[in-house]
Amino acid sequence: MMNLFADMHRKVHETLREMQAAGELPADLDLKNVAVEPPRDPAHGDMATNAAMVLARPAGRRPREIAERLAERLAADGRIASAEVAGPGFLNLRLAPDAWRALVPAVLAAGPDYGRSGMGAGRKVNVEFVSANPTGPLHVGHTRGAVFGDALANLLDFAGWQVTREYYINDGGAQVDVLARSAYLRYLEANGREVAFPEGTYPGDYLVAVGEALKERYGDRFVDAPEEEWLDLFRRFATERMMEMIRADLAALGVRMDVYFSERSLYEGGRIEETLEKLREMGLVYEGVLEPPKGRKPEDWEPRVQTLFRSTAFGDDVDRPLKKSDGSWTYFAPDIAYHYDKILRGYDALIDVLGADHGGYVRRMKAAVAALSEGRVDFDIKLVQLVRLFKGGQPFKMSKRAGTFITLRDVIDEVGPDVTRFVMLTRKNDAPLDFDFEKVLEQSKDNPVFYVQYAHARISSVLRKAEAAGIDVSDAALGAADLSVLDDPAQLELLRRIGAWPRTVELAATHHEPHRIAFYLYDLASAFHALWNRGNDDPTLRFIDADDVPGSRARIALARATGVVISSGLGILGVKPVTEMR
RNA sequence: GGCCUCGUAGCUCAGCCGGAUAGAGCAACCGCCUCCUAAGCGGUAGGUCGCAGGUUCGAAUCCUGCCGAGGCCGCCA
């Protein structure tokens, strides 16, 4: 797989080892911090290495001296056009145009696999996301988490991990009893009773159908029955229905989970006790009394003995309760058992995608996972900040379906899944996101979705027109094109961006940051639009020139390669590329 | 009181495991369509990277303290 940055990184390291073998550098140097990166200022070349500065002190040499020796050796490589020492000891490398051009046939041959990385080495990672309570439709906040988690899963897959997408169904707590009671009210309503929805029940319309379905199944059997008779039945039924709705919501967004894991199943199998017992043996679970929170003392605080998790041993500021006063578990206890289950399933890495309001929860969960996996499992928690909705610059709150909050469906109905997904990935996960229903549909440069799609559409248009003009645009024909005509700065710039794709994938995957893919695509599209417009000043730079078929083929090959990368990047974001704008 | 996330151009935001003169879009100003989609492109102007220390050859980036915004801190998950 062609990865120019990785190739040059390898080349620099090999050359340094040659210098060690030749006695020009001490044999025991640690090369770990020697990097090959694109310089911030393109005037400094295509790639730069800090080798001389990093090694100067341990080698006991002057940086520029090391850099000069290294430059001499590197200059012998045909791919490297120049190697210049600059500044405090940087070595700036400029690649020969042919090295960049070689990307085109490589990309065409690899197709959608260009940029795929072996970094994950087939290790198993579990990405848990959405995990909304099964008590109603998904709302905007869930939508962002869903898009983020799914794109992250795609990204890790592309980077060579074996990925499981998982949804944790919170069907064990008090909230599903509330759901059952709310469904019961709708059931009474379906049976012709007048009902009121007291505080603490769910009044949303989405339960009307559930009430009717319950009537269909049970008639009026439970209308005057006491709660014990119907609660369990109704809870099961309503939860099932809510999960169907949630699955459908996710499907509408293009998200497919591999595993739906039920919290309740943990209660039934005695798994919670088992997990806590293990922690107790480690001395991390004990019976104790908690200090009241400082500065914000609850009115009814009474010290009492309860089951606690010693998260302070992992840097948390206080130990965390596992049981409520009525003896039932807090949400934290089943969560520990759930994560233990994931550990036992053999994952090398776990990722939780949570709303930002769960921030206080991160440390204790990491503590539990570190303890239960004995530090073997890499565990990352990504907090997703909230989404602020606007319409034409005005805050927007109305929902057609749920009344009180905007649902995922509201968003998709309004702008479609592709726009929703792309826009939600144009911000870092931990930054709040403004989502304007009008702006995201705008066909202009300040709308990144449009801008990237437009580039792809232009490329598709070039291919269509070329074909109509009788030029063979099969990948085989394009891959064999003589690319030496590609020597305009705009063409070389586009090649450089294409060359940066594998590196972008690896960085994004390492940091668990799919937004980097969206920003990369914007830059790539920008380089393409710039080249496109160069054709206005200089007609020889237009992609198609009927009088110059070989040259056209070279330029079209470059466009095609760009299209492959855009399409592949959009694939990670879960967005379908368009072939024409409407 | 403590913990978490954040603070970068007038606005919205990038900034790779520390790297050389801090970037993009919008808004402002000046240009580019007899030409594959101008739904686009080029240029000018605009920043004490919240503040103060520290580590380092080198800090927007790492560490400490402070200021500011949001979130969380036993029986909601």
Side-chain angles (χ1 to χ4, degrees):
Chain A
M1 182 61 59
M2 182 115 177
N3 182 342
L4 272 178
F5 282 92
D7 291 350
M8 286 303 141
H9 185 271
R10 199 176 312 121
K11 176 72 188 173
V12 167
H13 278 244
E14 276 167 12
T15 307
L16 288 168
R17 281 195 291 273
E18 283 167 25
M19 289 169 70
Q20 287 177 302
E24 294 174 34
L25 287 173
D28 59 347
L29 283 181
D30 182 5
L31 304 184
K32 191 164 63 67
N33 292 323
V34 174
V36 177
E37 299 173 330
R40 192 149 61 178
D41 185 346
H44 291 136
D46 297 323
M47 298 178 188
T49 177
N50 59 356
M53 286 179 295
V54 172
L55 301 179
R57 183 184 292 252
R61 306 283 168 86
R62 272 202 293 269
R64 294 190 67 99
E65 185 192 331
I66 299 176
E68 275 157 24
R69 298 283 184 109
L70 180 59
E72 274 169 37
R73 287 176 178 268
L74 287 174
D77 189 306
R79 293 169 299 178
I80 297 171
S82 74
E84 290 169 10
V85 184
F90 285 103
L91 184 56
N92 292 330
L93 306 177
R94 214 170 288 274
L95 298 197
D98 277 337
W100 292 113
R101 292 177 191 135
L103 282 165
V104 172
V107 172
L108 295 181
D113 286 334
Y114 170 61
R116 197 174 268 283
S117 163
M119 213 178 74
R123 281 172 293 168
K124 289 175 67 184
V125 59
N126 181 296
V127 183
E128 183 213 326
F129 59 112
V130 190
S131 297
N133 286 345
T135 54
L138 297 180
H139 58 68
V140 227
H142 299 130
T143 309
R144 188 174 181 190
V147 169
F148 177 86
D150 194 47
L152 176 57
N154 290 340
L155 173 60
L156 291 172
D157 177 273
F158 201 66
W161 289 82
Q162 196 183 317
V163 183
T164 302
R165 289 147 219 262
E166 187 152 325
Y167 186 117
Y168 179 58
I169 308 171
N170 290 111
D171 55 2
Q175 73 281 355
V176 281
D177 287 342
V178 173
L179 173 72
R181 293 190 190 102
S182 307
Y184 182 72
L185 292 173
R186 290 300 184 187
Y187 163 77
L188 292 181
E189 207 171 49
N191 275 291
R193 298 291 177 98
E194 282 281 317
V195 297
F197 285 83
E199 271 301 298
T201 56
Y202 305 128
D205 290 350
Y206 52 86
L207 287 176
V208 172
V210 177
E212 278 161 9
L214 283 163
K215 183 200 168 191
E216 194 135 314
R217 175 170 297 193
Y218 298 113
D220 60 0
R221 207 173 121 192
F222 296 115
V223 168
D224 292 309
E227 187 171 289
E228 312 82 87
E229 286 180 27
W230 52 261
L231 186 67
D232 198 52
L233 219 51
F234 276 39
R235 184 181 51 221
R236 219 177 287 266
F237 188 90
T239 305
E240 193 65 35
R241 285 305 177 99
M242 292 301 103
M243 283 313 298
E244 276 169 26
M245 188 172 67
I246 287 169
R247 276 174 222 245
D249 281 354
L250 289 174
L253 190 61
V255 175
R256 205 201 82 263
M257 295 286 174
D258 299 306
V259 176
Y260 285 87
F261 191 99
S262 158
E263 177 189 357
R264 188 158 284 274
S265 70
L266 293 168
Y267 288 80
E268 285 157 5
R271 310 285 298 287
I272 300 173
E273 290 80 353
E274 201 179 297
T275 307
L276 296 190
E277 193 46 44
K278 188 175 162 71
L279 289 171
R280 201 182 284 273
E281 282 165 18
M282 297 173 163
L284 294 171
V285 166
Y286 68 103
E287 305 301 316
V289 179
L290 226 43
E291 293 290 313
K294 293 185 185 70
R296 195 207 56 109
K297 194 175 290 187
E299 305 267 316
D300 58 347
W301 182 276
E302 278 176 29
R304 69 156 180 281
V305 178
Q306 58 186 343
T307 308
L308 298 170
F309 174 67
R310 201 183 299 283
S311 48
T312 46
F314 298 83
D316 207 350
D317 49 323
V318 65
D319 289 337
R320 303 293 174 172
L322 296 164
K323 268 187 184 175
K324 302 179 194 172
S325 57
D326 64 0
S328 66
W329 300 115
T330 62
Y331 66 92
F332 184 41
D335 266 11
I336 294 176
Y338 171 50
H339 282 79
Y340 188 43
D341 185 272
K342 288 197 267 195
I343 292 167
L344 292 179
R345 277 186 269 154
Y347 289 104
D348 300 290
L350 301 178
I351 300 174
D352 286 3
V353 179
L354 302 175
D357 53 342
H358 290 64
Y361 171 77
V362 170
R363 205 183 283 271
R364 79 190 75 160
M365 203 62 244
K366 285 196 171 178
V369 168
L372 288 166
S373 74
E374 286 153 26
R376 278 195 297 265
V377 173
D378 181 49
F379 180 41
D380 191 16
I381 298 182
K382 302 300 278 187
L383 298 178
V384 177
Q385 272 289 352
L386 47 96
V387 179
R388 291 186 297 239
L389 293 172
F390 296 89
K391 191 158 194 170
Q394 296 302 307
F396 184 69
K397 280 194 156 46
M398 291 293 288
S399 166
K400 289 168 203 148
R401 279 188 183 72
T404 51
F405 57 91
I406 308 277
T407 64
L408 177 148
R409 286 302 181 128
D410 291 329
V411 178
I412 294 179
D413 287 353
E414 198 86 8
V415 305
D418 287 331
V419 168
T420 303
R421 294 186 63 123
F422 197 110
V423 172
M424 294 218 166
L425 291 167
T426 55
R427 270 314 82 106
K428 218 167 16 183
N429 59 289
D430 51 18
L433 170 78
D434 288 351
F435 189 99
D436 190 309
F437 285 100
E438 283 175 13
K439 278 193 184 155
V440 299
L441 292 178
E442 222 167 72
Q443 303 210 328
S444 73
K445 193 180 163 182
D446 57 324
N447 179 3
V449 196
F450 165 77
Y451 191 75
V452 171
Q453 290 283 29
Y454 186 35
H456 192 266
R458 278 181 154 174
I459 291 163
S460 304
S461 161
V462 166
L463 290 168
R464 281 193 301 269
K465 299 221 162 154
E467 203 156 25
I471 300 174
D472 183 355
V473 294
S474 65
D475 281 349
L478 296 179
D482 173 5
L483 301 174
S484 55
V485 296
L486 302 179
D487 61 0
D488 185 82
Q491 292 169 330
L492 291 169
E493 177 56 24
L494 185 54
L495 284 168
R496 283 189 203 99
R497 301 280 173 101
I498 291 172
W501 172 236
R503 176 184 155 79
T504 302
V505 168
E506 295 194 342
L507 283 169
T510 306
H511 293 271
H512 299 162
E513 290 183 341
H515 77 274
R516 292 180 190 234
I517 303 296
F519 281 94
Y520 168 83
L521 288 175
Y522 188 88
D523 287 343
L524 180 64
S526 177
F528 180 78
H529 288 309
L531 172 58
W532 178 283
N533 268 70
R534 289 280 289 121
N536 288 336
D537 306 331
D538 182 352
T540 67
L541 291 176
R542 289 179 203 163
F543 291 96
I544 301 168
D545 177 354
D547 299 328
D548 175 17
V549 172
S552 298
R553 205 168 270 145
R555 290 184 294 270
I556 294 166
L558 173 59
R560 171 75 186 133
T562 307
V564 166
V565 176
I566 291 179
S567 166
S568 172
L570 288 175
I572 290 175
L573 304 186
V575 174
K576 285 181 283 303
V578 302
T579 54
E580 56 187 331
M581 303 307 292
R582 271 175 307 217

